[in-house]
Amino acid sequence: MDRFSLQDLGARPLAFPALGMGLGAALGGETPHRAWLFLGVGAGLAALAWVFARRTGSWLLVLGALTCVGAGLAALQATSAPSPELPPEEALLEGQVAGVVPSPEGSRVTLEVARWNGEPRRARVRLSARGPLEPLSPGQRVQVRARLRRLEAPANPGQPDIAARLRREGVSHSGGFEARALVVLSPEPGWRVWLRRTHAALAERTRALSPSPEAASLFLTLAAGQRAGLGEELEELFSASGLAHVLSVSGLHVAALALVLLRALRALLVRVPGLPRARDVRRMAAPLAVPCVWAYVAFTGWQPPAVRSAVMASAVLAGLMLWRRADGLNALALAALVLLCVDPASLVDLSMQLSFLAVLSLLVLTPALRAAVPLGRPSFEGVGPWGVRALRLGETSLQTLCASVAVTLAGAPLIASTFGRLSLAGLVSNIVCLPLCGLLTLMAAGGAALFVVTPLLAVPVLWLGTVCSQVLLWLAGLFAALPLATLDVPPPGPVVTWLFAAGLMAFAVGRGRGRWLGLLAPAAVGWLFLAPSALPKPGLTVTFLSVGHGDAIVLSSAGQHALVDAGGVPGGGDTGKRVVLPFLREARISRLALAVLSHPHPDHALGMVSTLRAVPAERLWLAARTVDGALSVAVREAAARATVEEVQAGLSAFQLGEATVEVLGPPRDASRVDGVNDRSVVLRVRHGDVTLLLTGDIEAAGESALDVGPVTVLKAPHHGSRTSSGPALLERTHPHVVVVSAGLHDRFGLPHPEVLDRYVSAGARVYRTDLHGAIRLESDGHAVRLDAFLQDAAAEGGLVAAAGRPQLGER
């Protein structure tokens, strides 16, 4: 295991071409209208490289051509023909299925549209099925009525930009449909029918032999790529233990399979009479192993990491066949070139990024880490057989530890940005579990292959495989339960990420003084954790998150935090996971002093369940006389360690840092209000001269029951409906700023124009989460500063005095 240098990287003929093509794909996916321009320039540069092939520097022309080709292919993939301007309405679509991703929440279908409302149109859409979907395969033609919407940019801090990735794939719209309404117009291909039936039979036999349903699900994930059956608990368990890579058919599995196949085929071929012996047999075994590797990849569903590893394995096996020395970096670069040509959008796929970073770190960073350990290579001179075994075991364990550290460091920025935490347990769990994972992979692939040939022969392998899966589950639980198994970390920005990556690369391949640049990595980590704490913070920050038709409000003051509602879409995406938790990670909030469910309606409560499961709360407030419903019970169970209180007007004020939180509703006299909306928890937040009124979904009766005076900021009751925001409330509160929480193209028609006119006539400045995205308010106790996430700060932000009319402030 020798260290690489920068010159070693440059000597690999495919390394920089792959880098150039990747850079082009990154740029081209953002400019789809320039696809043919990029391809034309690339062709021109390639022609010049051919003409000046013998001149110094002609390789720069080749790199430029490949960069332009990568940009052109990415732009071509992102190109989508114009579709009709789309109001939020249903459309009848007919087209060909491009992909199906099953999940417990509902399958996602990518559709290549040929006819739109009966008219010939070309577009690519991604649809979420509501309800169980009948077996569907890529290539089948279908007709479906779906409710569509254009892809929207993220409207909240920390929210992943899923729309950008979908646009790179050429997707122009997303939406949903009722699964039972899908009409299949063409039959499923015969080989897919066979594959689906084989998967079903394999799953049935495996579950019958398995010691537990969880062990069967884990084994089937590796044997047939059926990850959708794992469930959230197992996913979380393996993530916390640092073994999440085991749950996908990744490079480790394919590489182990290729190695075993090569050795098994060699052992068989040397026993065939008349065949040459020794090295020639390996040249014959290598090409025979290639189709077996690809058969496993196809059987497990063509998962991107497995495809990448299969390309690498095929390159190595081809080198053995041609008597060429296998080179890991060249094989990795070849895999990158192939995948970028076939699917340029895979460049921004998280699993693909982590997969390539893991292999690159194993090849480049692991030798540098091993060289940094002050232990020399073991010497076997004068050592007996058992001593040799012990020394080899120690060296193997040390190299495995270095590999585990390398993979963890290389993927840390991506994992921290996506999940907000790192698994420290993985540094040890991978050393202990790696041999078992390799054995389990072989049994999964072998069991699946034997089951295809004859199910009876597969029974012992399937049984032993599920037993090993059960052992792996036990080990994963053991490591996940260790203290500090996971570490919550703030998401690094682009600057910190690039500085950290530059430091790692300098440490890995630097020589002499250049290696001192490796200090950039710890410097970036220090900046990530220490710099924000040195910045001045406002006395009170309130963020109204954009969660569609629903409420989600985060309050922060002097290191304490509160959450009021968390949105929710019945039968739709989880706003807690999609919006609230990413924002909390971005804001470095890992604990809540107070959580408030204003009332148990889905658009306020569903997101609270997933949020409170991930972020503990010390205290939970529920509206009096609303705690027995199913949603209230689910929220209480999610906040299992919180002190739960049923609240109503008159409760003692809660001190949140420098701010005071008072409960104004529901009223103590239950007869004054009727209905869940009017029994919402109403909060008044005071910070010096600044006052905020958070009103839940109260309507006329709830408004009349409030004992409230003038406020600086009013959260519009009930999303701006006509049954709320009455003249009497505006006259009493006289708000300077009104924040309306509503969804874009709200199906209820909210906020109502009449209500908006009423606020404007009262002299209030109106902010809307559907148009402005998340609304951030900062208070110093005398005035508030507001910023809109989707608007230019200079135009939309400003200072609003707590006393007096709104005035724009300087930014």
Side-chain angles (χ1 to χ4, degrees):
M1 186 184 289
D2 298 324
R3 282 193 62 199
F4 282 92
S5 66
L6 192 59
Q7 292 74 17
D8 292 330
L9 299 181
R12 268 62 183 182
L14 296 179
F16 283 99
L19 185 62
M21 203 160 177
L23 177 62
L27 298 175
E30 301 294 334
T31 54
H33 55 286
R34 297 180 181 176
W36 297 109
L37 174 62
F38 284 131
L39 293 174
V41 173
L45 290 175
L48 288 175
W50 178 270
V51 172
F52 299 105
R54 298 176 181 268
R55 302 287 183 89
T56 302
S58 60
W59 63 274
L60 291 174
L61 293 173
V62 175
L63 285 181
L66 286 171
T67 302
C68 289
V69 169
L73 291 175
L76 200 62
Q77 184 181 23
T79 301
S80 180
S83 299
E85 283 302 319
L86 201 71
E89 63 180 18
E90 290 187 340
L92 183 64
L93 307 176
E94 183 178 328
Q96 192 174 64
V97 176
V100 182
V101 179
S103 70
E105 295 82 15
S107 299
R108 294 196 304 271
V109 179
T110 303
L111 187 65
E112 299 280 0
V113 178
R115 301 185 70 84
W116 192 305
N117 285 333
E119 298 181 6
R121 296 275 186 179
R122 185 173 69 86
R124 188 180 177 94
V125 301
R126 192 179 79 161
L127 306 174
S128 297
R130 291 186 291 270
L133 189 67
E134 293 296 322
L136 196 63
S137 299
Q140 287 186 272
R141 196 170 184 85
V142 299
Q143 186 181 79
V144 63
R145 185 170 293 278
R147 185 180 180 85
L148 297 170
R149 60 181 179 276
R150 286 193 175 276
L151 299 176
E152 302 291 343
N156 301 279
Q159 186 177 351
D161 193 354
I162 298 175
R165 178 171 60 83
L166 292 178
R167 280 193 291 269
R168 282 179 168 271
E169 298 174 1
V171 175
S172 60
H173 298 81
S174 63
F177 68 97
E178 296 292 338
R180 63 178 182 275
L182 183 76
V183 179
V184 179
L185 303 177
S186 63
E188 191 176 8
W191 69 272
R192 285 195 175 274
V193 174
W194 171 85
L195 184 61
R196 176 167 52 80
R197 291 176 177 172
T198 303
H199 280 178
L202 175 62
E204 183 180 359
R205 181 63 60 90
T206 301
R207 293 190 177 98
L209 296 169
S210 176
S212 71
E214 293 78 13
S217 297
L218 175 58
F219 185 81
L220 289 170
T221 297
L222 302 179
Q226 298 180 6
R227 185 166 180 169
L230 282 174
E232 291 186 4
E233 291 186 4
L234 280 183
E235 295 268 6
E236 177 66 23
L237 177 70
F238 276 82
S239 176
S241 63
L243 298 169
H245 59 86
V246 176
L247 301 182
S248 62
V249 181
S250 62
L252 171 66
H253 307 116
V254 176
L257 178 64
L259 180 62
V260 171
L261 281 172
L262 181 65
R263 291 182 175 178
L265 289 170
R266 285 179 60 188
L268 289 174
L269 290 174
V270 295
R271 288 170 173 78
V272 176
L275 288 181
R277 296 291 187 268
R279 294 186 300 175
D280 289 339
V281 174
R282 186 173 63 176
R283 297 183 64 184
M284 299 175 63
L288 293 176
V290 172
C292 298
V293 169
W294 284 102
Y296 175 62
V297 173
F299 191 79
T300 53
W302 298 99
Q303 298 183 37
V307 173
R308 184 266 308 158
S309 189
V311 172
M312 289 185 62
S314 299
V316 172
L317 292 172
L320 292 175
M321 180 181 65
L322 300 174
W323 280 121
R324 300 289 184 183
R325 183 177 178 271
D327 183 85
L329 280 176
N330 264 336
L332 182 64
L334 175 62
L337 287 169
V338 171
L339 290 172
L340 288 173
C341 288
V342 175
D343 183 17
S346 64
L347 181 74
V348 296
D349 181 75
L350 178 64
S351 65
M352 186 61 66
Q353 292 171 348
L354 291 174
S355 180
F356 270 91
L357 279 176
V359 177
L360 183 63
S361 66
L362 289 174
L363 294 172
V364 177
L365 185 56
T366 300
L369 290 172
R370 175 62 185 92
V373 177
L375 291 175
R377 305 285 179 176
S379 173
F380 303 127
E381 186 175 351
V383 180
W386 286 103
V388 170
R389 292 189 181 96
L391 290 174
R392 284 178 175 171
L393 178 61
E395 178 64 18
T396 300
S397 300
L398 181 58
Q399 290 187 7
T400 304
L401 176 61
C402 292
S404 183
V405 172
V407 172
T408 300
L409 290 175
L414 277 177
I415 294 175
S417 297
T418 306
F419 305 107
R421 66 180 185 181
L422 295 175
S423 174
L424 301 182
L427 298 175
V428 180
S429 63
N430 280 287
I431 299 175
V432 175
C433 299
L434 190 60
L436 179 60
C437 292
L439 177 62
L440 184 56
T441 298
L442 297 178
M443 285 189 289
L450 286 173
F451 188 85
V452 170
V453 176
T454 170
L456 186 61
L457 290 178
V459 168
V461 180
L462 297 180
W463 174 79
L464 186 58
T466 55
V467 171
C468 290
S469 298
Q470 189 66 48
V471 174
L472 185 59
L473 284 170
W474 179 80
L475 289 172
L478 179 66
F479 285 109
L482 292 176
L484 297 178
T486 58
L487 177 67
D488 291 331
V489 292
V495 174
V496 171
T497 298
W498 284 110
L499 286 176
F500 185 79
L504 285 186
M505 185 57 69
F507 171 77
V509 302
R511 291 289 188 274
R513 294 180 180 178
R515 206 175 183 198
W516 284 100
L517 291 175
L519 294 175
L520 287 173
V525 174
W527 176 265
L528 176 65
F529 284 95
L530 299 179
S533 61
L535 298 175
K537 294 181 175 59
L540 173 66
T541 301
V542 182
T543 306
F544 299 86
L545 296 175
S546 178
V547 290
H549 181 83
D551 281 4
I553 307 166
V554 180
L555 302 90
S556 299
S557 178
Q560 290 191 304
H561 312 281
L563 173 66
V564 182
D565 297 332
V569 182
D574 188 332
T575 54
K577 294 180 179 178
R578 185 171 53 87
V579 175
V580 182
L581 287 174
F583 171 78
L584 296 180
R585 285 194 292 266
E586 178 83 4
R588 307 189 180 196
I589 298 174
S590 59
R591 191 172 191 84
L592 298 170
L594 175 65
V596 182
L597 175 61
S598 66
H599 63 294
H601 277 172
D603 57 324
H604 296 251
L606 287 177
M608 289 287 282
V609 177
S610 54
T611 300
L612 294 181
R613 283 175 181 165
V615 179
E618 297 174 14
R619 190 183 300 261
L620 172 64
W621 284 357
L622 302 174
R625 299 178 295 278
T626 65
V627 298
D628 296 329
L631 283 175
S632 295
V633 171
V635 171
R636 294 178 67 167
E637 291 176 348
R641 290 174 288 178
T643 301
V644 181
E645 295 181 80
E646 298 182 40
V647 302
Q648 55 189 357
L651 182 76
S652 298
F654 180 83
Q655 197 68 31
L656 184 76
E658 299 177 8
T660 302
V661 181
E662 303 170 276
V663 179
L664 303 186
R668 286 182 175 276
D669 184 0
S671 64
R672 299 183 63 185
V673 293
D674 186 23
V676 176
N677 281 347
D678 281 321
R679 290 199 293 268
S680 295
V681 176
V682 179
L683 302 176
R684 179 167 55 192
V685 183
R686 296 183 185 272
H687 182 238
D689 298 331
V690 174
T691 306
L692 294 86
L693 188 63
L694 308 180
T695 56
D697 274 1
I698 60 172
E699 300 179 87
E703 292 176 1
S704 65
L706 287 179
D707 181 13
V708 64
V711 300
T712 312
V713 179
L714 170 68
K715 200 284 292 184
H718 201 197
H719 318 292
S721 71
R722 293 182 66 183
T723 58
S724 60
S725 303
L729 177 68
L730 269 65
E731 189 174 326
R732 280 184 290 156
T733 58
H734 203 59
H736 301 168
V737 173
V738 174
V739 177
V740 183
S741 184
L744 191 63
H745 305 307
D746 191 283
R747 60 193 178 100
F748 300 105
L750 302 178
H752 197 279
E754 179 182 325
V755 172
L756 295 177
D757 290 342
R758 195 178 300 157
Y759 282 128
V760 173
S761 299
R765 184 190 303 169
V766 178
Y767 286 80
R768 297 170 50 172
T769 59
D770 57 338
L771 301 181
H772 303 127
I775 310 298
R776 177 183 171 90
L777 175 154
E778 296 179 356
S779 166
D780 60 4
H782 304 289
V784 295
R785 184 179 297 276
L786 294 106
D787 285 312
F789 187 75
L790 294 182
Q791 297 289 333
D792 180 28
E796 291 293 334
L799 286 173
V800 178
R805 306 316 303 159
Q807 294 181 350
L808 284 176
E810 295 296 329
R811 298 301 297 163

